[in-house]
């Protein structure tokens, strides 16, 4: 079987060698285009270049190449309607050149490329007519303007500072056929030239015009000095320069000198008419200012001749009868009341006629004016008062005398009661018929000396001054009072007080001695005592230590007189004497009482 297959294979190979292959014609190419039926248009940048082929049939495809063989495919187009067929190309280039075009018709191959089809360089726009250009050179703040007449929609105008190169100082595009205005921030204050070109649709930028001249910026008309009023106000109110009859947009500047950059104020007119320039302060003395105006689209005018202004005016001095000075005591401010003032008037009080310190100041309101001063001084003297009225300087000072601070009325000794209590109970000084706020002081001497007690009245009437201890012996005190808004009074004459009072000695009949046997404390019974009484027992009539002591204490609220037992150290077994004293509340210790002898 394998031999049979091998033979068949050999026969097939031999037959393929002997029998001839089928014969067919090559595919047909499209007929090459006629170069004379091709139009190439080389437009300026911004408009695509075009290749137009005439007499194309529906479905024809044209290709545009940069060279006859190979090269770059620049553009292609397919005919959808019989007739002319246009291929758009972004940009062939500015300079002249050549392209090569093929066509591919239905059922045929692409044709060979045409011989070179030349195209021209891009065309420049027609230069502008300098006589159709008007340049207006405005002042700073208003753009300069260049108007070109008779332009077409889409035309672009460029303005240059020089005939070749230079800066592009302005550009604009025509949106409505006719005249075009190019705005330029500032060409310059002086006269000069600009150079203008145009770029029309599908064309390159034109050559620049010859020099188009423009004039220097025009100055505003100087102001009339007779229409300017300068007012020199005092510190606190702005000085003013008022210029009459100005137009909206006019800007006024005020200078302190005829030449130089001494600008002290400026303002712009928002409503036609008069304009006021506010200046914080021109100065106190008289002087001169110089004023300019800058009108719309014009330069600043020349400065006026010197405009003189007066020195600031002083306020009218105060009259003495307008001023009342009250010299109060320490603790209450002294006052300077000024009458018949205007609201806003500022009053200053000085310690001297010239120079000196400001010791008080206040501003007048609808309710009047009072200057509070902590303390002018205790003695009489003089203050000096000035006023500052709106738009005026401070007035000259007015001297006003004032009295010394008034003393409080001296106390009557008959209204003073001194109680000299024993140690443990404060001594008291009672002063009668006082007013709320009165301050009472108790002294140990007629002049100088220490304040040994002081108290302020809180309830009208009598006042008690507590003093720890005046002393056991009698003596003298001196008392003063300080009433509100007054100085401290003179001290009273000597007010004598008695020595501290002794308690009344005990009666022998109220003392019982119980002499117990050895080992048991002796006892002394003291009868008819008051609560708080202190009993001391001595072994001798004078001096020596107490050998027993006791204080009357009871919880019975209805008890008037009570008894007290005092234990004492064992006395002698034989008879002897004891001495007993009592110290009652607010009193000194009594003299000692000899008790009955005991055995």
């Amino acid at each position: 079987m394998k031999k049979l297959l091998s033979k068949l294979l050999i026969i097939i190979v031999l037959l393929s060698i002997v029998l001839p292959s089928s014969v067919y014609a090559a595919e047909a190419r499209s007929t090459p285009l006629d170069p004379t039926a091709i139009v190439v248009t080389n437009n300026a940048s911004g408009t695509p270049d075009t290749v137009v082929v005439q007499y194309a049939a529906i479905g024809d495809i044209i290709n545009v190449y940069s060279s006859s063989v190979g090269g770059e495919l620049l553009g292609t187009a397919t005919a959808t309607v019989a007739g002319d067929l246009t291929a758009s190309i972004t940009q062939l280039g500015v300079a002249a050149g050549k392209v090569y075009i093929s066509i591919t018709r239905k059922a045929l191959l692409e044709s060979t490329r045409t011989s070179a089809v030349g195209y021209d360089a891009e065309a420049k726009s027609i230069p502008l007519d300098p006589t159709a250009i008007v340049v207006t050179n405005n002042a700073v703040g208003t753009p300069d303007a260049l108007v070109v007449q008779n332009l077409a929609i889409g035309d672009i105008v460029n303005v240059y500072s020089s005939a070749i190169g230079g800066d592009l100082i302005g550009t604009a595009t025509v949106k409505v056929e006719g005249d075009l205005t190019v705005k330029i921030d500032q060409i310059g204050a002086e006269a000069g030239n600009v150079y203008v070109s145009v770029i029309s649709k599908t064309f390159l930028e034109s050559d620049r015009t010859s020099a188009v001249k423009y004039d220097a910026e025009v100055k505003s008309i100087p102001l009339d000095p007779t229409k300017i009023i300068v007012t020199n106000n005092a510190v606190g109110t702005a000085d003013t320069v008022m210029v009459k009859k100005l137009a909206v947009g006019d800007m006024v500047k005020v200078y302190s000198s005829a030449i130089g950059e001494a600008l002290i104020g400026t303002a712009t007119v928002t409503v036609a008419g008069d304009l006021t320039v506010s200046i914080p302060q021109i100065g106190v003395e008289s002087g001169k200012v110089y004023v300019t105006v800058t009108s719309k689209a014009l330069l600043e005018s020349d400065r006026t001749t010197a405009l003189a202004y007066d020195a600031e005016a002083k306020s009218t001095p105060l009259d003495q009868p307008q001023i009342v000075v009250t010299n109060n005591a320490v603790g209450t401010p002294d006052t300077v009341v000024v009458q018949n003032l205007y609201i806003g008037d500022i009053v200053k009080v000085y310690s001297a006629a010239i120079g000196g310190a400001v010791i008080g100041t206040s501003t007048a309101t609808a309710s009047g004016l009072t200057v509070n001063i902590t303390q002018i001084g205790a003695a009489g003297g003089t203050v000096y008062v000035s006023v500052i009225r709106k738009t005026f300087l401070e007035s000259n000072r007015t001297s006003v005398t004032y009295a010394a601070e008034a003393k409080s009325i001296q106390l009557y000794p008959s209204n003073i009661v001194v109680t000299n209590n024993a140690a443990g109970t404060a001594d008291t000084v009672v002063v009668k018929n006082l007013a709320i706020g009165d301050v009472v002081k108790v002294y140990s001497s007629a002049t100088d000396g220490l304040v040994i007690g002081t108290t302020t009245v809180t309830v009208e009437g009598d006042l008690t001054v507590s003093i720890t201890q005046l002393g056991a012996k009698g003596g003298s005190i001196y008392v003063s009072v300080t009433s509100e808004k007054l100085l401290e009074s003179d001290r009273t004459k000597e007010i004598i007080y008695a020595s501290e009072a002794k308690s009344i000695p005990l009666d022998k009949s109220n003392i019982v001695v119980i002499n117990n046997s050895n080992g048991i404390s002796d006892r002394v019974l003291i009868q008819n005592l008051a609560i708080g009484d202190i009993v001391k027992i001595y072994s001798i009539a004078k001096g020596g230590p107490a050998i027993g002591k006791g204080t009357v204490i009871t919880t019975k609220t209805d008890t008037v007189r009570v008894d007290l037992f005092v234990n004492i150290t064992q006395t002698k077994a034989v008879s002897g004497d004891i001495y007993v004293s009592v110290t009652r509340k607010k009193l000194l210790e009594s003299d000692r009482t000899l008790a009955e002898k005991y055995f």
Side-chain angles (χ1 to χ4, degrees), residues 521-536:
S521 296
D522 297 335
R523 303 185 77 190
V524 178
L525 172 64
I526 301 95
Q527 299 172 324
N528 298 319
L529 295 172
I531 295 171
D533 285 354
I534 302 170
V535 173
K536 293 182 181 180

Side-chain angles (χ1 to χ4, degrees), residues 459-508:
V459 178
E460 187 172 359
D462 298 347
L463 173 72
T464 299
V465 181
S466 292
I467 302 167
T468 307
Q469 275 296 299
L470 291 170
K473 294 182 179 181
S476 301
I477 59 168
Y478 304 84
V479 187
S480 73
V481 65
T482 305
S483 299
E484 285 189 316
K485 298 186 179 180
L486 299 175
L487 292 177
E488 185 177 7
S489 71
D490 292 329
R491 301 176 192 179
T492 59
K493 293 181 179 180
E494 179 182 51
I495 297 175
I496 299 171
Y497 60 88
S499 299
E500 294 177 1
K502 285 185 177 182
S503 303
I504 298 171
L506 293 168
D507 193 317
K508 282 184 179 182

Side-chain angles (χ1 to χ4, degrees), residues 15-198:
L15 287 173
S16 64
I17 295 171
V18 174
L19 294 175
S21 61
S22 299
V23 178
Y24 58 91
E27 292 183 14
R29 284 180 178 273
S30 301
T31 303
L33 291 168
D34 179 1
T36 62
I38 300 171
V39 178
V40 182
T41 304
N42 187 12
N43 294 314
S45 178
T47 301
D49 299 331
T50 59
V51 175
V52 179
V53 176
Q54 299 173 342
Y55 315 120
I58 294 173
D60 285 353
I61 300 170
I62 61 170
N63 290 330
V64 182
Y65 296 93
S66 61
S67 61
S68 59
V69 178
E72 180 184 358
L73 177 63
L74 302 175
T76 185
T78 301
T80 56
V81 178
D84 294 347
L85 176 60
T86 300
S88 292
I89 300 164
T90 305
Q91 274 296 300
L92 292 169
V94 175
K98 298 174 181 179
V99 291
Y100 303 83
I101 303 102
S102 70
I103 186 168
T104 305
R105 301 187 187 274
K106 283 185 179 179
L108 297 176
L109 295 175
E110 183 181 11
S111 71
T112 57
R113 301 176 191 178
T114 60
S115 55
V117 178
Y119 58 83
D120 296 330
E122 293 179 0
K124 286 185 176 181
S125 303
I126 298 170
L128 294 168
D129 179 2
T131 63
I133 300 171
V134 177
V135 183
T136 303
N137 188 11
N138 295 314
V140 173
T142 302
D144 299 330
L146 181 144
V147 178
V148 183
Q149 302 171 346
N150 304 323
L151 293 173
I153 293 173
D155 283 354
I156 300 170
V157 172
N158 290 332
V159 183
Y160 295 91
S161 60
S162 60
I164 299 173
D167 295 326
L168 176 65
I169 58 175
T171 184
T173 301
V174 178
K175 295 182 179 178
V176 178
E177 186 172 357
D179 297 346
L180 174 69
T181 299
V182 181
K183 291 185 177 181
I184 302 165
D185 287 338
Q186 276 297 302
I187 300 175
E190 304 301 325
N193 300 313
V194 291
Y195 303 84
V196 189
S197 71
V198 66

Side-chain angles (χ1 to χ4, degrees), residues 322-554:
Q322 287 180 257
I323 305 167
V324 178
V325 182
T326 303
N327 189 10
N328 294 313
V330 174
T332 301
D334 299 329
T335 59
V336 177
V337 176
V338 184
Q339 300 169 335
N340 301 323
L341 293 172
Y342 296 102
I343 292 173
D345 283 355
I346 299 169
V347 169
K348 292 184 177 181
V349 182
Y350 294 86
S351 59
I354 299 173
V358 176
I359 59 175
T361 186
S362 183
T363 301
T365 63
S367 58
L369 181 140
T370 299
V371 182
N372 288 314
I373 302 166
T374 306
Q375 276 298 301
I376 300 176
T382 304
V383 291
Y384 303 85
V385 188
S386 71
V387 65
I388 303 171
R389 293 210 156 94
K390 285 184 179 178
T391 75
F392 290 92
L393 292 177
E394 185 174 6
S395 71
N396 292 330
R397 301 175 190 179
T398 300
S399 63
V400 183
T401 58
Y402 59 88
E405 294 177 3
K407 284 185 177 182
S408 304
I409 298 171
Q410 190 178 33
L411 293 169
Y412 292 108
S414 61
N415 285 335
I416 301 170
V417 178
V418 184
T419 304
N420 188 10
N421 294 313
T425 301
D427 299 331
T428 60
V429 177
V430 177
V431 183
K432 299 178 181 179
N433 303 323
L434 294 173
I436 294 172
D438 285 352
V439 179
V440 171
K441 292 182 180 179
V442 180
Y443 294 89
S444 60
S445 62
T447 57
D448 299 325
L450 296 174
V451 176
I452 58 176
T454 183
T455 305
T456 301
V457 178
T458 57
V459 178
E460 187 172 359
D462 298 347
L463 173 72
T464 299
V465 181
S466 292
I467 302 167
T468 307
Q469 275 296 299
L470 291 170
K473 294 182 179 181
S476 301
I477 59 168
Y478 304 84
V479 187
S480 73
V481 65
T482 305
S483 299
E484 285 189 316
K485 298 186 179 180
L486 299 175
L487 292 177
E488 185 177 7
S489 71
D490 292 329
R491 301 176 192 179
T492 59
K493 293 181 179 180
E494 179 182 51
I495 297 175
I496 299 171
Y497 60 88
S499 299
E500 294 177 1
K502 285 185 177 182
S503 303
I504 298 171
L506 293 168
D507 193 317
K508 282 184 179 182
S509 62
N510 287 328
I511 303 170
V512 179
V513 180
I514 303 169
N515 190 4
N516 294 314
S517 59
N518 287 338
I520 300 173
S521 296
D522 297 335
R523 303 185 77 190
V524 178
L525 172 64
I526 301 95
Q527 299 172 324
N528 298 319
L529 295 172
I531 295 171
D533 285 354
I534 302 170
V535 173
K536 293 182 181 180
I537 301 172
Y538 299 88
S539 60
I540 55 177
K542 290 184 179 180
I547 59 175
K549 181 179 179 182
T551 301
V552 177
I553 301 171
T554 182

